[in-house]
Amino acid sequence: MSYIVEMRDVCKSFGALPVLTDFNLKFRQGEKVVIIGPSGSGKSTVLRCINCLEPIQSGNIWFEDEQITDKTDLSVLRMKIGMVFQRFNLFPHKTVLQNVIEAPIIVKGTSRDKAKQLGMDLLDRVGLVDKCDSYPKELSGGQQQRVAIARALAMNPKIMLFDEPTSALDPELVGEVLQVMKVLAEEGMTMVVVTHEMGFAREVADRVIFMDQGIIVEEGTPKDIFENPMQDRTKLFLKRIRY
Amino acid sequence: MNLDYSIILNKLPFLIEGCLVTLEISFYALLLGMVFGIGGALCRISTNRFLSGMAFLYVWIVRGTPVMVQLFILYFGLPQLGIKMSSMTAGVLGLAVNTGAYITEIIRGGIQAVDKGQLEAAMSLGMNHRQAMIRIIGPQAIKICIPPLVNQFIMTLKNSSIASLVTITELFRTGEQLIYTTFRSFEVYTVIAVLYLIMNSVFMVIADKLEKRMERQ
């Protein structure tokens, strides 16, 4: 099978509030998928269910054809799934380089020297080598998010999940983060991106998914969704965010 | 007015000895209290309902009763049940149990004050709960806990004066004894107050340095 993640009939609720209802979604290896939709539509929850940050009530999820169950070693699973958060979540008590190399050392048992080499290479890729000894609070939001991307890449994941990576940024800092993500996409990384950056979706996505109220309303190529949406809800949403 | 500090100052070595006992009780009470507190906090946030229930009970009872009553139960009450301990043991244990309950709440608060995103970020990188606690949450919680912990340390040092009531000859009791022989209560109590103030000031200065050192992060 060429699907890296498959969600089948997933139901997820917070208390009495249903977030995902009989949710089905598959991602192919190397695919770049952008999920759009109004807030509260369950977009972020989809990502958080994939790496089991949120437990699901029913349904099944497969990662690389292995079903995720109670017995799944979540540590091993999560190593293969990189995640970037809206609010960066860098470790404030560690320097930039320490943020990047912490997990390789602690979780994978990589030697400190090797991890440092890897860390500096990754910081070079996101253009932040000169900031390696800074602390997160000394960086701009855009720089922090680039460090967070480097930190996730340090575990050499098979797929990267981006949960509104630019929503907490000042407008002028959005570009530098999207640029790093574009390069990552060009290199063939499998990516699932929840975002409101429609320009990015058009340019990078193989497939765009529009979600509302816990279900997929419509999906298709960026051209389909943005230029020729079929569903009224999609049309309304796109109209609202354009103006 | 009839004030004469010279008598007291002549007896200063006697009072200093009391200070040393006060420091000794406080040191052991805080050491043990930290153990109780860290253990209590970990139990309190545990998903195991028995452990969190026990920790809740501990904090509830200890915070809701006076430290003097707790000490008296240990030293004067327990012998009736056949459990006898020296005044020093009872004093240290009583203060430790008492301060441990407060430290439990301080540390629990510190851990819970760390942004939830930190744990999620650590988990998403493959860390297990223990690794995330030790490497990511713990260090940040400690920083948050330092100011209230310093407060608690100061409280404990002052509360150690209550140990005089279970016949430990610490600073306060030393002073009382001095009053029996000199009849100089004002001078003795003020000198004792100054000695407590000096001991606590050393504490505060050290704590201040520690906080400044952690500032950058």
Side-chain angles (χ1 to χ4, degrees):
Chain A
M1 283 290 286
S2 52
Y3 291 112
I4 184 165
V5 175
E6 180 171 355
M7 304 171 82
R8 198 182 293 166
D9 301 327
V10 170
C11 290
K12 164 77 195 169
S13 56
F14 293 115
L17 182 78
V19 185
L20 299 178
T21 328
D22 293 327
F23 193 83
N24 292 288
L25 190 55
K26 297 175 187 176
F27 302 113
R28 277 189 304 278
Q29 185 86 45
E31 196 178 20
K32 288 107 186 90
V33 178
V34 168
I35 304 178
I36 61 172
S39 68
S41 58
K43 314 180 293 282
S44 297
T45 307
V46 171
L47 299 189
R48 295 164 61 83
C49 287
I50 293 173
N51 70 355
C52 297
L53 280 181
E54 298 286 356
I56 57 175
Q57 270 81 41
S58 66
N60 291 301
I61 301 175
W62 284 264
F63 185 82
E64 291 186 316
D65 293 331
E66 264 185 64
Q67 189 174 349
I68 300 170
T69 64
D70 293 345
K71 292 188 188 72
T72 305
D73 185 341
L74 291 183
S75 179
V76 174
L77 174 76
R78 287 170 177 155
M79 266 194 257
K80 298 182 208 158
I81 304 175
M83 183 149 191
V84 175
F85 299 87
Q86 181 176 354
R87 283 167 52 245
F88 329 132
N89 295 347
L90 291 181
F91 307 135
H93 59 302
K94 296 191 176 293
T95 65
V96 164
L97 183 61
Q98 285 167 347
N99 261 278
V100 177
I101 66 177
E102 178 74 11
I105 292 173
I106 299 302
V107 181
K108 275 191 174 167
T110 311
S111 75
R112 188 158 278 276
D113 288 338
K114 252 189 163 169
K116 271 188 181 166
Q117 187 58 51
L118 167 76
M120 292 310 279
D121 288 348
L122 285 166
L123 288 177
D124 187 35
R125 276 173 70 183
V126 299
L128 288 169
V129 168
D130 54 326
K131 297 288 184 189
C132 67
D133 290 325
S134 301
Y135 282 93
K137 73 167 186 189
E138 295 163 347
L139 306 183
S140 73
Q143 290 170 331
Q144 287 191 49
Q145 195 61 298
R146 281 146 66 197
V147 174
I149 293 172
R151 180 177 69 174
L153 290 174
M155 295 305 279
N156 200 19
K158 304 263 178 77
I159 181 172
M160 285 283 285
L161 311 176
F162 293 84
D163 187 3
E164 301 200 28
T166 58
S167 297
L169 297 176
D170 289 336
E172 77 269 25
L173 302 176
V174 169
E176 61 188 71
V177 172
L178 292 182
Q179 188 52 42
V180 168
M181 289 167 65
K182 277 177 202 164
V183 173
L184 201 57
E186 281 161 19
E187 289 167 0
M189 175 63 78
T190 310
M191 292 165 69
V192 184
V193 184
V194 170
T195 188
H196 296 292
E197 295 296 329
M198 299 304 150
F200 176 82
R202 275 169 185 274
E203 198 177 331
V204 176
D206 300 316
R207 179 155 57 117
V208 175
I209 292 171
F210 173 66
M211 279 182 70
D212 194 12
Q213 296 180 351
I215 56 165
I216 294 174
V217 176
E218 189 168 356
E219 63 179 302
T221 63
K223 211 171 145 93
D224 291 341
I225 298 291
F226 292 119
E227 285 166 28
N228 196 17
M230 308 300 282
Q231 302 289 329
D232 288 343
R233 270 194 283 179
T234 316
K235 287 177 194 163
L236 186 67
F237 175 75
L238 289 173
K239 201 173 155 198
R240 277 197 190 132
I241 56 165
R242 267 176 201 152
Y243 303 108
Chain B
M1 217 165 34
N2 165 25
L3 284 180
D4 183 2
Y5 277 95
S6 64
I7 308 169
I8 314 302
L9 292 179
N10 282 333
K11 297 282 188 185
L12 206 55
F14 186 54
L15 289 174
I16 299 290
E17 238 171 82
C19 283
L20 292 180
V21 177
T22 287
L23 287 174
E24 194 188 342
I25 307 171
S26 306
F27 176 76
Y28 287 116
L30 283 172
L31 206 65
L32 202 55
M34 280 299 283
V35 175
F36 291 165
I38 293 170
L42 292 179
C43 289
R44 196 85 165 73
I45 59 170
S46 160
T47 45
N48 182 319
R49 290 178 87 178
F50 176 73
L51 289 180
S52 69
M54 290 302 281
F56 172 80
L57 214 61
Y58 166 51
V59 172
W60 177 56
I61 293 173
V62 170
R63 284 205 304 186
T65 53
V67 59
M68 196 164 87
V69 177
Q70 292 160 11
L71 274 179
F72 276 36
I73 290 175
L74 280 179
Y75 187 63
F76 298 115
L78 285 183
Q80 196 186 317
L81 307 181
I83 304 167
K84 284 191 184 128
M85 49 184 115
S86 71
S87 58
M88 193 64 181
T89 310
V92 167
L93 192 62
L95 285 173
V97 167
N98 184 269
T99 202
Y102 290 93
I103 292 174
T104 295
E105 285 301 277
I106 290 170
I107 293 177
R108 177 180 72 101
I111 291 171
Q112 289 178 342
V114 175
D115 182 20
K116 222 175 121 245
Q118 292 289 309
L119 185 63
E120 290 186 347
M123 301 275 235
S124 78
L125 289 165
M127 288 188 212
N128 60 36
H129 201 264
R130 217 185 98 248
Q131 289 166 333
M133 271 301 179
I134 295 172
R135 305 287 308 183
I136 307 302
I137 308 299
Q140 296 181 61
I142 288 171
K143 210 183 139 198
I144 299 169
C145 286
I146 285 180
L149 272 181
V150 170
N151 248 342
Q152 191 54 36
F153 282 21
I154 290 169
M155 285 299 292
T156 304
L157 196 135
K158 291 190 292 186
N159 277 345
S160 71
S161 62
I162 295 170
S164 64
L165 297 172
V166 294
T167 73
I168 300 173
T169 316
E170 41 65 77
L171 177 56
F172 186 75
R173 193 175 164 87
T174 317
E176 300 243 275
Q177 288 173 349
L178 200 52
I179 293 170
Y180 297 149
T181 55
T182 62
F183 304 105
R184 291 275 168 193
S185 33
F186 183 83
E187 291 90 331
V188 170
Y189 285 134
T190 47
V191 168
I192 287 177
V194 169
L195 289 172
Y196 274 114
L197 185 60
I198 291 171
M199 287 191 284
N200 275 324
S201 300
V202 174
F203 236 165
M204 294 176 208
V205 169
I206 294 171
D208 204 48
K209 288 239 161 74
L210 195 65
E211 233 177 296
K212 287 227 168 74
R213 248 188 60 184
M214 298 185 84
E215 198 109 297
R216 194 186 167 203
Q217 298 151 17

